[in-house]
Amino acid sequence: MSKRIFDNTEVAFALKSNSELNRAYYLFKMIAYEPLVKLGKWLTHFAIKAKLPVDGLIRATVFDHFCGGVNEKDCLPVIDAMYSKGVCSVLDYSVEGKANEAHFDDAMQKIVEIIKFSANKQAMPIVVFKPTGFGRFYLYQKKGEGKAFTKDEEAEWNRVVERYDTVCRLSKEKDVEILIDAEETWMQDAADNLVTLMMKRYNTEKPIVYNTLQMYRHDRMAFLKNEHEMAKKEGYFLGYKIVRGAYMEKENERALELGYHSPICDSKLATDVNFNTSAKYILDYIDLISVFVGTHNEESCYLVMDLMAEKGISKDDNRVWFGQLYGMSDHISFNLSELGYNVAKYVPFGPVKDVLPYLIRRAEENTSVSGQTGRELTLLSIEKKRRKMLV
């Protein structure tokens, strides 16, 4: 596979106007400077607490770059524009930090609405939710640790299970695939068990329910193989979104504080090897396991493309999807789509202030991932120069 496929900036940024291109360039310029990100985080929190009128400023800059809108309908222009280039959308309700029963019921209802919304749009074949959107973090943790629930907690957990069942059942009914995100390791065992239960119930003809494997965890290959053996024995399909992971600093800090071996791979190289190994394993067993390759890593994309060609898996085979976040790695998403691969962008949405934790994480992630921001800036610069030459 030619290693220059992702260099085509004309394809990558075809949907961006000159002003949007400039905004992206200066936004990544700022994100590249870590002290500025930290200052921006502090100022944003201060402005929100002081009730300063900053929604408009946030919306015109970082929000509109990384988010599709404040609600589903607000996202439609983004969804339709990307689909005109063959890139699908995964609407991601990115409101975080709320943890009460009313919120969990509202979040479930929001996913139900998105599933119904998606069922009527070819551009939206997949939906997603976070485990802690449907139940308290502490409840998952206690369940995973095998500790006895109180009577009230047992009833609360049953409501969590019912929320999962409601959205997974509807997903199967509407033929919309549902991705369930992964979170911190100390709550993930209970979430994994619950997703496996949903796979057994609803992945009977094909994968509808997908779990997420964070491959910076050194135990995930063993987990994948065990799940594969169980699915073979019990006769259901598996679906996995594979990612590198999003909670590394928190995981390492907790392991150090509590004195246990960190669940995170010892190096970036080990994580890359683990990720690529999981992709190869799944493609080896594509008849039973489907995959959503969630990565901004070009080498991993090339590897999956090469493996698909080797194994005779067609580019548009629905069992293999590539995914990136909206506002990032357009050079991967749109060039893959141009070649005929299945591609979907995660499109976060929600009220501006409620989505701020997500936006701050994206800024910090871009600052900390070596080479990510530099690559974005290089490609944006190339496209700016190309357009200037065409004027």
Side-chain angles (χ1 to χ4, degrees):
M1 181 67 65
S2 167
K3 294 302 176 75
R4 299 196 58 85
I5 287 168
F6 299 136
D7 291 347
N8 189 330
T9 61
E10 185 176 1
V11 169
F13 304 118
L15 294 180
K16 279 187 168 41
S17 65
N18 287 343
S19 62
E20 288 169 333
L21 197 71
N22 281 324
R23 180 183 66 190
Y25 178 81
Y26 289 112
L27 187 58
F28 279 110
K29 269 276 194 187
M30 288 188 288
I31 288 172
Y33 188 54
E34 189 174 354
L36 197 58
V37 171
K38 288 181 177 177
L39 177 62
K41 179 179 177 179
W42 182 85
L43 287 172
T44 301
H45 283 313
F46 172 79
I48 298 298
K49 284 182 181 177
K51 298 186 177 177
L52 299 177
V54 293
D55 277 27
L57 177 62
I58 294 169
R59 170 120 207 210
T61 53
V62 65
F63 183 93
D64 277 354
H65 182 80
F66 289 113
C67 298
V70 297
N71 55 47
E72 302 97 311
K73 290 184 180 176
D74 202 21
C75 295
L76 280 174
V78 167
I79 293 166
D80 291 340
M82 290 200 297
Y83 195 58
S84 73
K85 301 296 181 183
V87 175
C88 292
S89 296
V90 180
L91 279 188
D92 184 8
Y93 185 53
S94 296
V95 174
E96 300 179 2
K98 297 181 179 181
N100 57 63
E101 289 296 289
H103 165 73
F104 299 141
D105 286 337
D106 287 346
M108 183 201 73
Q109 193 54 44
K110 179 63 70 175
I111 301 304
V112 165
E113 290 168 10
I114 294 171
I115 292 168
K116 291 176 179 177
F117 192 58
S118 298
N120 296 315
K121 282 193 75 67
Q122 284 187 318
M124 297 168 55
I126 304 166
V127 298
V128 64
F129 73 90
K130 286 181 70 170
T132 52
F134 282 15
R136 284 192 298 140
F137 187 103
Y138 170 74
L139 207 64
Y140 285 101
Q141 183 178 349
K142 191 170 182 179
K143 181 73 173 176
E145 291 171 350
K147 294 178 179 175
F149 280 158
T150 65
K151 187 177 179 181
D152 286 346
E153 286 172 339
E154 189 67 42
E156 187 182 348
W157 179 253
N158 289 338
R159 288 193 293 274
V160 175
V161 177
E162 183 57 34
R163 290 183 190 110
Y164 273 69
D165 192 75
T166 297
V167 298
C168 293
R169 184 173 62 248
L170 182 63
S171 287
K172 181 167 184 175
E173 181 187 315
K174 298 293 186 182
D175 197 23
V176 174
E177 291 166 4
I178 187 159
L179 310 179
I180 302 169
D181 282 339
E183 300 186 57
E184 291 89 341
T185 53
W186 57 100
M187 62 74 66
Q188 190 60 42
D189 284 351
D192 285 338
N193 290 337
L194 193 43
V195 179
T196 298
L197 175 63
M198 295 300 121
M199 286 185 181
K200 289 179 181 179
R201 286 182 184 175
Y202 298 112
N203 289 3
T204 50
E205 284 90 35
K206 64 177 183 177
I208 288 290
V209 180
Y210 283 63
N211 201 355
T212 298
L213 301 177
Q214 298 187 104
M215 298 312 298
Y216 66 3
R217 289 182 57 173
H218 48 68
D219 66 346
R220 291 294 86 180
M221 275 307 304
F223 174 83
L224 172 58
K225 290 176 181 178
N226 288 337
E227 292 287 299
H228 182 204
E229 285 304 312
M230 185 160 57
K232 281 195 293 186
K233 285 176 186 172
E234 299 188 26
Y236 59 91
F237 292 87
L238 296 171
Y240 287 107
K241 179 179 73 168
I242 55 171
V243 298
R244 278 170 169 78
Y247 304 93
M248 185 171 69
E249 289 179 9
K250 191 188 290 188
E251 292 282 359
N252 285 332
E253 285 170 7
R254 186 176 190 268
L256 188 63
E257 183 184 333
L258 298 182
Y260 61 85
H261 183 61
S262 173
I264 305 302
C265 291
D266 292 336
S267 66
K268 170 68 164 58
L269 176 60
T271 295
D272 290 341
V273 169
N274 214 28
F275 183 95
N276 292 342
T277 301
S278 72
K280 185 177 186 307
Y281 184 90
I282 291 171
L283 292 175
D284 281 344
Y285 298 101
I286 194 69
D287 288 342
L288 187 68
I289 316 175
S290 295
V291 66
F292 185 99
V293 185
T295 186
H296 296 185
N297 183 291
E298 295 175 26
E299 292 305 315
S300 291
C301 290
Y302 284 127
L303 172 71
V304 172
M305 294 159 77
D306 286 341
L307 288 170
M308 288 176 72
E310 261 178 46
K311 296 173 186 301
I313 302 170
S314 66
K315 293 177 180 180
D316 63 350
D317 190 314
N318 194 63
R319 296 172 297 181
V320 183
W321 280 78
F322 293 86
Q324 291 77 43
L325 297 170
Y326 182 68
M328 294 169 62
S329 298
D330 286 347
H331 63 294
I332 294 177
S333 306
F334 288 93
N335 280 301
L336 279 173
S337 173
E338 179 80 0
L339 292 169
Y341 292 93
N342 296 320
V343 185
K345 284 281 201 185
Y346 259 54
V347 181
F349 74 97
V352 175
K353 288 178 183 176
D354 289 340
V355 175
L356 271 178
Y358 169 86
L359 293 173
I360 289 167
R361 247 198 352 270
R362 289 289 75 81
E364 290 174 334
E365 179 181 291
N366 275 277
T367 302
S368 63
V369 177
S370 175
Q372 176 72 41
T373 304
R375 178 68 163 145
E376 297 275 5
L377 280 168
T378 297
L379 292 166
L380 286 163
S381 297
I382 290 169
E383 180 61 10
K384 278 162 64 75
K385 287 175 186 171
R386 189 193 71 81
R387 293 188 186 187
K388 193 172 182 180
M389 289 170 62
L390 292 178
V391 172

